[in-house]
Amino acid sequence: MIMFTLMETIHIYTLRPAPCAIGSYTCETPSNLQYAVLYMTLTLASLGLGGTRFTIASMGAQQLDKNKDQATFVDWYYLTLYVANIISFTAIIYIQDSVSWGLGFALCALVNAIGLASLVLGKRLYRQVKPKGSPFMSIARVLVAAIRKRKASGGFGCRDYYYSGATQMLKMEDSSSTKRFRFLNRAALKTESDKQSDGSYARSWRLCPMEEVEVLKSLLKIIPVWSAGLPLCTSVGTLVASQYSKP
């Protein structure tokens, strides 16, 4: 947003082409440097938007203990998010079209600065959740383990699967979620080859806790919801791109 503001308010002609002459049917073509600066700025904006919008929702929910409170927070978060979208697609665009693009970008930069300051000032109050490893490694481990045990046959119950704790096993026994995508359950199937010398089991590329299997199942179940939003995001992205491409 700062880069966009500077490009619009401070007429740095090395970063943008010269204005079209009055009455002229042709305009100066942007240089490769000017295209590079524009695409770099758009890339930074996309990375910032994609890297914060949904991770902040997860971070906020982690500050609460009860599932009901977490659900309430997420509801209010997305309500606020889409109200902000309505303002940005109406008021900000009106300012850009009627007043100046520089003022519109400056307001966006100001709001981002206020949000960043609020986030940093509250850092000492946040519950710091320690990372538990890469989720992509967990997904890959489940898929590899399920494929390696694809030839296992027979009926298996909850006692035949590997859990990270007895409490989690009791929760799984009372849940019907393990019945979905049952082919992935093989990743948590305990076999003699998985048993260590002391008789215990440990997570590996052949054996995964059932909790990790359930995480992958949850991810697979939300793919239809995620994919349903692709047409909307594509149309909105096209609209934004067309706004930026206006002379």
Side-chain angles (χ1 to χ4, degrees):
M1 291 297 103
I2 292 175
M3 286 293 297
F4 276 131
T5 304
L6 293 177
M7 293 169 62
E8 290 295 330
T9 56
I10 303 176
H11 295 282
I12 306 175
Y13 292 111
T14 57
L15 300 182
R16 56 179 296 178
C20 300
I22 299 177
S24 176
Y25 291 98
T26 60
C27 299
E28 181 182 341
T29 303
S31 65
N32 291 334
L33 174 62
Q34 292 165 350
Y35 273 127
V37 172
L38 175 62
Y39 290 136
M40 181 193 69
T41 306
L42 289 172
T43 301
L44 288 175
S46 300
L47 290 175
L49 182 63
T52 58
R53 173 174 291 184
F54 301 105
T55 53
I56 288 178
S58 302
M59 174 187 170
Q62 288 175 341
Q63 308 303 310
L64 306 170
D65 295 321
K66 297 180 180 180
N67 292 336
K68 182 179 179 180
D69 295 336
Q70 292 177 347
T72 301
F73 169 82
V74 172
D75 290 342
W76 278 103
Y77 174 82
Y78 280 103
L79 176 63
T80 306
L81 176 64
Y82 289 111
V83 168
N85 282 339
I86 293 174
I87 296 175
S88 64
F89 287 129
T90 54
I92 298 298
I93 290 181
Y94 174 79
I95 292 174
Q96 290 177 333
D97 287 341
S98 304
V99 183
S100 72
W101 281 71
L103 178 59
F105 286 130
L107 289 175
C108 294
L110 177 62
V111 172
N112 274 275
I114 295 174
L116 178 60
S118 302
L119 181 69
V120 174
L121 289 175
K123 182 179 179 181
R124 62 186 182 86
L125 304 175
Y126 300 145
R127 176 186 298 173
Q128 303 294 334
V129 180
K130 295 182 179 180
K132 299 180 181 179
S134 172
F136 300 104
M137 290 296 295
S138 174
I139 292 173
R141 191 181 294 111
V142 172
L143 293 174
V144 171
I147 292 173
R148 296 179 71 172
K149 293 181 179 179
R150 64 187 182 279
K151 296 183 179 180
S153 59
F156 307 108
C158 290
R159 302 285 178 178
D160 298 318
Y161 297 119
Y162 171 55
Y163 298 85
S164 60
T167 304
Q168 291 294 331
M169 182 176 67
L170 293 176
K171 291 181 180 179
M172 293 296 180
E173 288 178 346
D174 296 335
S175 175
S176 60
S177 59
T178 55
K179 297 180 181 179
R180 301 178 181 178
F181 302 106
R182 286 182 295 178
F183 63 92
L184 293 175
N185 291 354
R186 299 175 187 275
L189 180 63
K190 295 184 292 186
T191 61
E192 287 297 325
S193 59
D194 299 323
K195 187 178 296 185
Q196 298 183 344
S197 57
D198 58 355
S200 62
Y201 295 91
R203 185 175 61 178
S204 66
W205 287 91
R206 285 188 54 87
L207 182 65
C208 301
M210 182 57 77
E211 294 84 355
E212 292 186 358
V213 177
E214 291 300 324
V215 169
L216 178 55
K217 290 181 180 181
S218 300
L219 182 62
L220 292 175
K221 286 186 289 186
I222 66 173
I223 285 180
V225 179
W226 169 79
S227 60
L230 290 179
L232 174 62
C233 295
T234 303
S235 59
V236 171
T238 304
L239 174 63
V240 173
S242 64
Q243 289 288 333
Y244 283 137
S245 63
K246 286 184 177 181

